[in-house]
């Protein structure tokens, strides 16, 4: 079974802090994704990566950056957290037909 | 913009009832997935359909991909409380050659005992 793990289930940070969200997958998938999920807005793609050291902007990249130094690990960075970045963050990986396998999510609260 | 519209947005039924939820678009998709998400968890992939008219069954769940590959439906027979969750459809647009998925906003299903 594919396993995608995220570093924290719950995280509370203060405005202006730098925040790192880590995601690791164990199935050698090429593609990895970061989404945020908000009530009424659904899942929105922040960034994705096709390969190591490659990244592409999704639909809402502003205020975020990513890092993929190893194939299995994809990190999301909030350079200076703001209250409007309070959300559920979901990491996913995929291999075929865009069948994405999601991690359990990190619920981030920015105070 | 290629959108997937899901209906209904909310559905509350009694255990044992049947239900159908819909996922519609004006665009053609080369494949479409259905996911179920429980509160506080990530979505879990249920099925992928790739051929127009395709029907797949997963126990009491039946998934159908429209002939024109623009829509899909999920039918649940004899719903159980364990079926409660957010059902998301997601598709790969036929045009664009992207690995990105387009997601619908989901149908929130509650099955009452």
């Amino acid at each position: 079974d594919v396993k995608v793990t995220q570093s924290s289930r719950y995280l509370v940070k203060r405005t202006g802090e730098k925040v790192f969200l880590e995601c690791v997958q164990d199935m050698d998938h090429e593609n990895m994704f970061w989404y945020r999920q908000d009530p009424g807005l659904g899942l929105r793609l922040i960034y994705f990566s096709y390969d190591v050291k490659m990244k592409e902007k999704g639909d809402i990249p502003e205020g975020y950056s990513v890092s993929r130094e190893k194939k299995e690990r994809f990190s999301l960075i909030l350079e200076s957290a703001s209250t409007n970045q309070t959300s559920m963050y979901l990491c996913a990986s995929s291999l075929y037909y865009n069948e994405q396998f999601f991690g359990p999510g990190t619920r981030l609260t920015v105070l | 913009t290629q959108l997937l519209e899901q209906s209904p947005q909310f559905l509350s039924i009694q255990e044992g009832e049947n239900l159908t939820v819909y996922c519609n678009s004006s665009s053609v998709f080369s494949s479409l997935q259905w996911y179920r998400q429980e509160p506080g968890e990530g979505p879990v992939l249920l099925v992928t359909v790739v051929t127009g008219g395709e029907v797949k069954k997963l126990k009491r769940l039946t998934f159908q991909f429209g002939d024109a590959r623009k829509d899909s439906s999920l039918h649940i027979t004899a719903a159980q409380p364990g079926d409660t969750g957010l059902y998301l459809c997601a598709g790969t647009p036929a045009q664009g050659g992207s690995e990105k998925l387009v997601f619908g906003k989901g149908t929130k299903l509650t099955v009452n005992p």
Side-chain angles (χ1 to χ4, degrees), chain A residues 38-42, chain B residues 4-12 19-24 34 85-89 104-110:
Chain A
D38 302 286
L41 297 178
Chain B
L4 283 168
E5 302 284 344
Q6 290 192 244
S7 62
Q9 191 175 354
F10 300 96
L11 188 57
S12 181
L19 66 114
T20 302
V21 298
Y22 301 92
C23 176
N24 296 302
W34 284 91
L86 179 68
Y87 288 82
L88 296 163
C89 67
K105 291 185 179 180
T107 292
K108 189 170 183 180
L109 172 66
T110 302

Side-chain angles (χ1 to χ4, degrees), chain A residues 53-98:
Chain A
K53 297 194 185 294
M54 293 183 66
K55 60 185 179 184
E56 297 220 18
K57 293 180 180 179
D59 301 317
I60 52 163
E62 297 77 20
Y64 303 94
S65 62
V66 290
S67 172
R68 194 165 180 202
E69 296 296 319
K70 293 185 177 181
K71 191 175 186 179
E72 68 271 18
R73 189 179 297 269
F74 193 34
S75 302
L76 180 69
I77 303 151
L78 286 65
E79 296 290 343
S80 178
S82 63
T83 54
N84 63 13
Q85 292 179 309
T86 291
S87 187
M88 174 71 142
Y89 288 87
L90 291 162
C91 175
S93 69
S94 76
L95 187 60
Y96 300 124
Y97 290 116
N98 273 330

Side-chain angles (χ1 to χ4, degrees), chain A residues 28-47:
Chain A
D28 204 35
H29 284 174
E30 301 290 338
N31 310 311
M32 295 188 75
F33 307 82
W34 275 106
Y35 296 88
R36 63 177 285 178
Q37 186 177 31
D38 302 286
L41 297 178
L43 271 78
R44 293 181 291 167
L45 182 63
I46 304 171
Y47 268 96

Side-chain angles (χ1 to χ4, degrees), chain B residues 20-84:
Chain B
T20 302
V21 298
Y22 301 92
C23 176
N24 296 302
S25 178
S26 57
S27 301
V28 177
F29 288 83
S30 55
S31 69
L32 198 140
Q33 287 89 41
W34 284 91
Y35 296 81
R36 179 169 63 214
Q37 184 178 21
E38 297 185 11
E41 299 293 332
V44 175
L45 178 67
L46 296 175
V47 76
T48 298
V49 286
V50 297
T51 306
E54 183 176 4
V55 176
K56 281 192 173 179
K57 293 192 175 183
L58 186 67
K59 297 183 181 177
R60 295 176 292 100
L61 279 61
T62 302
F63 305 85
Q64 184 161 10
F65 201 11
D67 291 341
R69 293 185 290 134
K70 292 183 178 181
D71 54 81
S72 181
S73 63
L74 158 60
H75 181 79
I76 301 179
T77 303
Q80 298 177 1
D83 296 326
T84 292

